[in-house]
Amino acid sequence: MSTRHSIRCRPGTAYVFLLGTALIVTAAGFAAVEASMSEVANHRLRAAADEARLLAQTGLEVAMARIAGDPSWATSLGAGGTIVSNEAVGRGTITVVVTDPVDSDPAVGDFDPFLLRSSATVGSAVRIAEVELQRRWTPLPATQTAVHAAGGVTFNNGTGITADRAVSSNTGASATSASIGAPVEVVTSASGSMYSGGLVEGVPAKTMPAGVIAQYAALATTITRGSLSAGNINRRLLSPAVNPYNASLNALGIYVIDLGNNDMEIKSSRIFGTLVIRNAGIVKLKEGLVWEPAFVGLPSLLVEGQLWIEGNTDNLIEGMVGRNLNPASTPYKGASNSVPADTYPSRLEGLFYATGPITVKQPRPALTGTLVSGAGVLFEDAYSVTYDTRVEQWPAPGFRTGPEYVMTPGSWKRIVP
Amino acid sequence: MIRRRAFSMIEATMSIVLLSGVFLASAEVVRMVGLSRAIGEERARALAVGQDLLQEIAVLPLGTHPVAVALDNTPVSRAAFATVYEYSGLVDSPPRSRDGAALDGYSGWTRRITITTLNPETLARSLGPGTGVAQVLVEVSRGNRVASRMSIIRTSSWDAVRFDARAFQSALTFTNPPVSTPPELP
């Protein structure tokens, strides 16, 4: 009886114990697997993040290649300014967006900086790189002089010129009984001995602008010669907001007149803009003339033909003209009013270019800027040129090369979203 | 005679079988964990040594597209390399630092660089002359097994920006234009 009792009471504890042990070992195994998987996942995530960081830089490089290879890139961006859209590279994808911090439109503003924001995704890792770039234009060397001629420069009979930049020629110069205070640079040689401002012979020829008349004419608003008074501009204000010859305005202040090989005088007027004169005989800039471009980075005058400067010392007097020349729509140096009571010093500012010869017949209006001739320049009287550094700092289209792109110092950023 | 039941024998046998199964499974798990860890570690090391080379290349200018690419150049030192294209076809085995010193613990490893000229618009391979855009692929292998592949794209356009930026930064001659500048003109 006692034996039966002991058999009946055997509890099977070893079996339970072993099953328990197996359960614990299994759980530990799963935990180890999970930990290992987690470690591997972390490795992968870190690797993906590192790769995404490199790809974000790659995005900037690809965007830059497209910008450099397409002069009209700014007008052909995708939606939201996208220049690289979700393109696959290696294991990831890149997207680059261009934004303009000045006016929100990368296509507007030749001198506006722009922001490249490159976003790279590898797996679940996202990395962003951002940089601001500036456009840098290189002015044609011809516009970095006070006066430049593709042909010869001639100083005649007791006249002279003063300038704070060189008077230069892509050929040579000659002086006859003249006093020349400006430095003179020529490609070949100079005759005469009155170069008190210094003479350098054998300089490299300077590249001349090409096709600028047609380039600007295409942007201009037409004024017919018949609408002018006797074919001249006299006692008028011309600006982006004021066109006294017809109802059409040009937001850039660029107007074109075809002279049909006739001559033209421009005097006693204020021009706040760019004038393109086609098929000109001789365009004569006379007294009482106040002229500057409406925008920095545009020329003042482009003549397809000859240009003469032959004004006397008269200033521009509103009372004499009988008009107010600085209305609210076209302030003069920031000042405007509604009465014709102002007097302005007669002065030319900016870049003045002629495809034909330029002749200085009289010493007015004085110039703050640059004279460029596609032929020769003849000085028959004294003349003074003060170079305007804005001409080279913000060179006008057609008078520049580029752009090159430079990084705004300190703008490089890496962003972890 | 009292008949004894063999329950404890069966129980012991079952327990041994169960335990054997559990320990066999555990051993397999441990092996797999070890393998996974080794692969992960190998991959991490491969990525590290690959990225190290990519970063070395990323700071160099692209250079000119070579007429013929050397497929088995194994220089001791890359210190004289001045452009990205000079790395084309490089087989670095065992991996060495830029000055030629072998990296510790990488015996049996190899880094291979392939440089492919790309079309800048499509990023597809370009068979023509240099486009100024190139993909740099670094493949890291241990023995015959490829442990990682990674690539970047380098462009001469970016070089112009970066290297010009240095001169720009030192000269500091550029300032923003004044009040009015014209819109972009064609």
Side-chain angles (χ1 to χ4, degrees), chain A residues 71 110 137 140 208-221 250 252 254-256 274-278 297-299 302-304 351 353 355 395-402, chain B residues 182-186:
Chain A
D110 268 0
W137 302 92
L140 292 183
M208 296 298 295
V212 289
I213 300 289
Q215 181 181 354
Y216 282 88
L219 300 166
T221 296
N250 185 289
L252 296 172
I254 305 175
Y255 296 92
V256 60
T274 301
L275 206 50
V276 183
I277 302 179
R278 306 205 71 164
L298 289 178
L302 305 169
V303 176
E304 190 177 39
L351 173 59
Y353 168 74
T355 60
F399 296 89
R400 66 192 185 192
T401 58
Chain B
E184 192 130 358
L185 301 176

Side-chain angles (χ1 to χ4, degrees), chain A residues 3 7 10 12 14-15 18-19 22 25 29 32-33 36 39-40 43 47 50-51 53-55 57-58 60-62 64-66 68 87 89-91 106-111 131 133-136 215 219 252 294-298 393-394 397 404-407 409 412, chain B residues 2-5 7-8 11 14-16 18-19 22-23 26 29 33 36-37 40-41 43-44 47 51 54-55 58 120-123 133 135 149-155 157-158 160-162 164-165 168-169 172-178 180-186:
Chain A
T3 305
I7 290 171
R10 185 172 290 133
Y15 189 60
L18 285 171
L19 283 176
V25 169
V33 169
S36 177
E39 192 176 343
V40 170
H43 274 308
D50 286 345
E51 202 167 342
R53 182 174 54 78
L54 285 169
L55 284 189
Q57 167 68 30
T58 281
L60 294 178
E61 299 230 12
V62 172
M64 202 58 240
R66 290 183 181 171
E87 295 183 29
V89 178
R91 295 194 305 142
V108 173
D110 268 0
F111 301 98
V131 69
L133 299 173
Q134 310 261 356
R135 297 173 175 93
R136 191 169 69 182
Q215 181 181 354
L219 300 166
L252 296 172
F295 291 93
V296 173
L298 289 178
Q393 202 162 9
W394 295 288
E404 293 174 324
Y405 298 92
V406 293
M407 197 185 297
W412 170 266
Chain B
I2 296 170
R3 188 177 168 216
R4 293 178 63 107
R5 296 177 64 184
F7 182 78
S8 60
E11 182 182 272
M14 286 293 292
S15 298
I16 288 166
L18 274 173
L19 270 180
V22 165
F23 281 119
S26 298
V29 165
V33 166
S36 173
R37 182 187 290 267
E41 186 184 320
R43 194 187 183 88
L47 284 168
Q51 281 175 3
L54 270 183
Q55 278 163 3
E121 292 306 314
T122 61
L123 299 185
V133 179
Q135 182 172 38
R149 276 194 189 91
M150 63 198 80
S151 62
I152 56 172
I153 293 176
R154 293 283 295 109
T155 69
S157 306
W158 186 254
V161 170
R162 291 189 314 169
D164 201 37
F168 168 73
Q169 211 158 1
L172 287 177
T173 55
F174 191 90
T175 54
N176 283 325
S180 56
T181 57
E184 192 130 358
L185 301 176

Side-chain angles (χ1 to χ4, degrees), chain A residues 106-187:
Chain A
V108 173
D110 268 0
F111 301 98
D112 287 356
F114 57 93
L115 208 62
L116 290 181
R117 186 181 176 92
S118 170
S119 175
T121 304
V122 177
S124 60
V126 179
R127 291 292 182 270
I128 294 169
E130 189 177 277
V131 69
E132 185 181 274
L133 299 173
Q134 310 261 356
R135 297 173 175 93
R136 191 169 69 182
W137 302 92
T138 303
L140 292 183
T143 66
Q144 293 183 287
T145 61
V147 178
H148 179 74
V153 177
T154 306
F155 305 93
N156 261 0
N157 296 328
T159 65
I161 179 171
T162 59
D164 53 0
R165 288 279 180 102
V167 174
S168 78
S169 163
N170 274 359
T171 59
S174 65
T176 306
S177 303
S179 169
I180 306 155
V184 175
E185 294 178 352
V186 295
V187 171

Side-chain angles (χ1 to χ4, degrees), chain B residues 5 37 74 76 85 87 94 97 100 103-104 121-122 157-158:
Chain B
R5 296 177 64 184
R37 182 187 290 267
T74 311
V76 172
Y85 269 119
Y87 286 77
S97 65
L103 301 180
D104 287 341
E121 292 306 314
T122 61
S157 306
W158 186 254

Side-chain angles (χ1 to χ4, degrees), chain A residues 17 31 42 48 66 113 120 152 165 190 197 209 218 231 344 389 391 403-404 414:
Chain A
F17 174 76
N42 276 339
R66 290 183 181 171
R165 288 279 180 102
Y344 309 90
T389 56
V391 172
E404 293 174 324
R414 281 207 177 104

